Amino acid sequence: MANKSSVFDMIGPIMIGPSSSHTAGVVRIARAAIRVLGGIPDEAEITFYNSFARTYEGHGSDRAIFGGLMDFKTDDERIKNALEIAKEKGLKYKFKSIGNSSVHHPNTIKLNLKKGERTVEVEGESLGGGVINIAEVDGFVANFSAQMHTLIIKAQDISGAIAFISSVIAQEKANIATMSVSRKGKNDLACHVIEMDSGINKITTQYLQSLPWIKELIYIPDIDL
Amino acid sequence: MCFLFESFKGWKKYCEEKNQSLPETVIQYEIEQKNSSRELIYSGLLQAYGVMKDAVITGLKEDMTSRSGMINNGAKKVFNHPLSVLSPEFQKLISRALSAKEVNSCMGRVVAAPTAGASGILPGTMVTLQEIHQLSDEKIVEGLLVGAGIALIIEEKASLAGAVGGCQAETGSAAAMAAGAIVYCLGGTIDQVFNAVAITIQCMLGLVCDPVAGLVEVPCVVRNASAAAIAFSSAQIALANVSAVIPVDECVEAMGEIGASMESRYKETAMGGLAATLTGQEISKKVLIQDIEILPDETLPD
């Protein structure tokens, strides 16, 4: 193990039971997803895959998802009643269970969220100990942990885009920890997912957003803050 | 350079050479490795202990019925039962360990120590120890630091995860942390603290993780109570200098070896042991969602 554990991994984290992968991890997937959406959704379709498909009720993962969708933190005691709270708020929802999907990690959740006219699709995996991987965003490969500060940029697939974006981030003195780019087809849209050790200023995201070849920019600061 | 928690032998040597107490070495580790400060460590652990105390109270006060129904206010029943089999203190210990763990099963707030599945053991033991011996919260925090050091070594040499090492890795490690903390808080020497850890591991070795329906309920909740009792039993033995014979580092090695050779159906997969019994399977059928779309087996694309 490269990183030594903390005292607070041994006595902690403080969390809502019953298990870190079924509650804390699930809450964090939803917290990441609403940041991709840009707010608390009006409608949500939640698909539980594989191991989650049969156990999500017993483990309370359905409540954990709604806790996260309403931006509750992983140790918020309201998570237990999150489904009722969501119903009161008029949030429309639907659950789906899919088993035997070999292309998905055992503990995968897909969220199709709608707020006003905006819709997003986010696929997250709960890896254990509350650690997550956001595998896909709107069909693009994403693979970010949401433990750092994340930028998701959908841009025209043009040459020099990666160098340009990374140099703008370098001006901010933000260190890039991981960066991945995926595209749906040649000369189509490319999706840049960049994880940074520190955050960046609003003016920088606004500048990037103003460029004509950048179609969409989503900035997700540390989701646990 | 701080101590890196690679062995109990090394920990003792480090304490003696630097003339530092057990909790002090853990503080130095956290400051150096995690850029923390003494104040942050103390306030964080006081907060964690506060959550543990709250969980003990919540489980004895509020309704603790799990979604599956398998957990149904057991802690309260134990706490209020008119017959104490040993002493009222023992009855309280058992009910408190049950209580905090029931809070975990029922989606309440707990401290994973070291894991959520073992989250009743330190609350049950520490709250009861504090009450009986009139200890300060600061003293309990020192005990928790010792427990954290113990867990760091077990994590390094064996595992703390049920999916890797079975139940011994979760409740066994928590009981070892508690036993060490108890002996430390009662003024035991380093040898006595480590001996308590060794004895506890010897008592918990081999426990498999076989949760009914895959839920963190049966047998997890009652195992938190028995682990709390074993922590006190080991502390009582260790304080009297009754040797574990097998040194603590070797006990941890044995735990790792047993965990590694355990079949996967005994490691949180709900495929063996209690989960595979007739009743276990029946409960599983009732509790698990049946309305599920099963994809056909993947066929390779042409």
Side-chain angles (χ1 to χ4, degrees):
Chain A
M1 209 185 297
N3 245 333
K4 287 297 223 178
S5 292
S6 157
V7 163
F8 294 101
D9 298 320
M10 304 297 112
I11 310 284
I14 296 170
M15 55 171 273
I16 298 299
S19 101
S20 53
S21 50
H22 293 89
T23 37
V26 172
V27 171
R28 296 185 74 242
I29 288 172
R31 285 176 68 86
I34 59 170
R35 281 158 179 75
V36 174
L37 179 70
I40 294 169
D42 315 317
E43 286 177 43
E45 185 183 280
I46 301 119
T47 311
F48 290 99
Y49 286 93
N50 299 338
S51 160
F52 269 178
R54 288 189 192 281
T55 60
Y56 75 80
E57 266 185 17
H59 278 122
S61 304
D62 48 354
R63 293 148 189 242
I65 266 289
F66 277 94
L69 288 178
M70 290 184 291
D71 211 14
F72 298 169
K73 289 187 180 177
T74 50
D75 65 344
D76 193 319
E77 286 183 303
R78 291 175 297 175
I79 289 171
K80 186 176 183 174
N81 302 314
L83 258 180
E84 291 75 16
I85 298 171
K87 271 184 212 164
E88 273 169 35
K89 288 195 172 172
L91 207 160
K92 285 189 216 146
Y93 66 89
K94 200 168 122 190
F95 287 115
K96 269 169 78 175
S97 278
I98 295 180
N100 210 22
S101 170
S102 58
V103 295
H104 289 95
H105 178 276
N107 290 340
T108 299
I109 297 173
K110 184 169 83 185
L111 292 166
N112 290 87
L113 307 178
K114 188 165 186 243
K115 179 181 168 65
E117 289 305 301
R118 182 169 163 77
T119 60
V120 296
E121 181 180 289
V122 176
E123 231 175 72
E125 303 162 351
S126 183
L127 306 180
V131 178
I132 62 168
N133 177 49
I134 301 297
E136 284 188 19
V137 172
D138 291 334
F140 287 102
V141 175
N143 285 331
F144 65 92
S145 67
Q147 259 168 346
M148 291 173 264
H149 303 266
T150 312
L151 256 182
I152 303 172
I153 299 173
K154 288 184 206 162
Q156 271 169 10
D157 184 24
I158 53 169
S159 65
I162 296 173
F164 184 86
I165 292 170
S166 54
S167 77
V168 170
I169 294 169
Q171 301 294 327
E172 279 264 23
K173 301 230 177 335
N175 185 36
I176 295 180
T178 73
M179 178 165 186
S180 71
V181 183
S182 69
R183 58 185 188 177
K184 286 188 171 160
K186 220 172 172 179
N187 302 320
D188 194 357
L189 270 189
C191 184
H192 305 245
V193 177
I194 301 151
E195 289 187 282
M196 302 165 295
D197 289 329
S198 53
I200 53 173
N201 285 304
K202 199 168 181 189
I203 191 153
T204 303
T205 58
Q206 280 170 340
Y207 168 58
L208 286 170
Q209 247 163 339
S210 73
L211 301 169
W213 53 278
I214 288 186
K215 299 302 168 197
E216 188 183 350
L217 180 144
I218 300 160
Y219 176 46
I220 307 175
D222 187 340
I223 62 164
D224 297 312
L225 295 177
Chain B
M1 182 68 188
C2 66
F3 177 62
L4 290 176
F5 293 90
E6 280 145 351
S7 72
F8 285 93
K9 202 176 164 188
W11 193 5
K12 184 188 169 196
K13 191 161 162 264
Y14 186 91
C15 287
E16 286 171 349
E17 278 173 5
K18 302 273 173 175
N19 197 24
Q20 280 182 5
S21 68
L22 290 171
E24 185 57 30
T25 55
V26 183
I27 291 173
Q28 293 303 330
Y29 167 90
E30 188 73 7
I31 290 174
E32 218 171 278
Q33 293 292 317
K34 299 289 154 190
N35 291 322
S36 190
S37 70
R38 187 176 296 272
E39 293 69 35
L40 278 176
I41 297 166
Y42 265 88
S43 65
L45 286 175
L46 272 174
Q47 189 198 357
Y49 188 47
V51 173
M52 289 185 188
K53 287 197 264 192
D54 287 348
V56 164
I57 293 167
T58 304
L60 289 172
K61 200 174 65 187
E62 288 174 21
D63 177 47
M64 286 296 137
T65 310
S66 68
R67 204 106 157 247
S68 73
M70 287 193 286
I71 300 308
N72 179 16
N73 295 301
K76 278 186 222 74
K77 290 172 195 160
V78 172
F79 191 87
N80 295 322
H81 198 273
L83 179 64
S84 292
V85 296
L86 270 184
S87 68
E89 287 85 2
F90 182 76
Q91 191 174 3
K92 278 192 218 167
L93 168 71
I94 298 302
S95 63
R96 284 169 178 157
L98 291 173
S99 171
K101 181 60 193 65
E102 284 179 2
V103 168
N104 176 66
S105 293
C106 299
M107 295 197 82
R109 181 156 52 193
V110 292
V111 183
T115 60
S119 57
I121 296 161
L122 279 161
T125 50
M126 293 301 107
V127 169
T128 307
L129 180 77
Q130 180 173 38
E131 184 183 87
I132 293 174
H133 294 279
Q134 298 293 307
L135 302 174
S136 65
D137 278 356
E138 285 67 31
K139 185 50 112 182
I140 297 292
V141 163
E142 285 177 22
L144 291 177
L145 282 164
V146 173
I150 293 165
L152 284 168
I153 297 174
I154 298 176
E155 185 189 42
E156 180 81 27
K157 292 288 171 203
S159 172
L160 300 173
V164 178
C167 189
Q168 55 166 8
E170 298 208 19
T171 61
S173 299
M177 292 162 76
I182 294 165
V183 172
Y184 171 81
C185 288
L186 296 179
T189 63
I190 294 177
D191 279 334
Q192 288 172 330
V193 169
F194 290 0
N195 197 30
V197 174
I199 293 166
T200 307
I201 292 174
Q202 291 184 5
C203 297
M204 303 292 288
L205 277 183
L207 266 187
V208 300
C209 178
D210 51 354
V212 171
L215 304 177
V216 201
E217 299 184 11
V218 174
C220 321
V221 171
V222 290
R223 269 189 204 160
N224 271 251
S226 59
I230 285 175
F232 274 101
S233 150
S234 305
Q236 189 78 69
I237 296 170
L239 276 168
N241 295 316
V242 179
S243 169
V245 180
I246 308 295
V248 59
D249 284 306
E250 294 176 39
C251 293
V252 175
E253 258 173 55
M255 187 174 169
E257 181 231 311
I258 292 169
S261 61
M262 213 179 257
E263 288 181 31
S264 74
R265 64 193 158 134
Y266 301 127
K267 292 198 257 197
E268 219 181 275
T269 52
M271 310 279 274
L274 295 171
T277 57
L278 263 178
T279 306
Q281 287 178 330
E282 270 169 35
I283 291 171
S284 170
K285 254 184 234 151
K286 256 189 289 175
V287 167
L288 299 186
I289 292 157
Q290 302 301 323
D291 178 20
I292 164 172
E293 179 186 338
I294 296 288
L295 295 181
D297 285 328
E298 293 288 319
T299 47
L300 288 171
D302 299 325

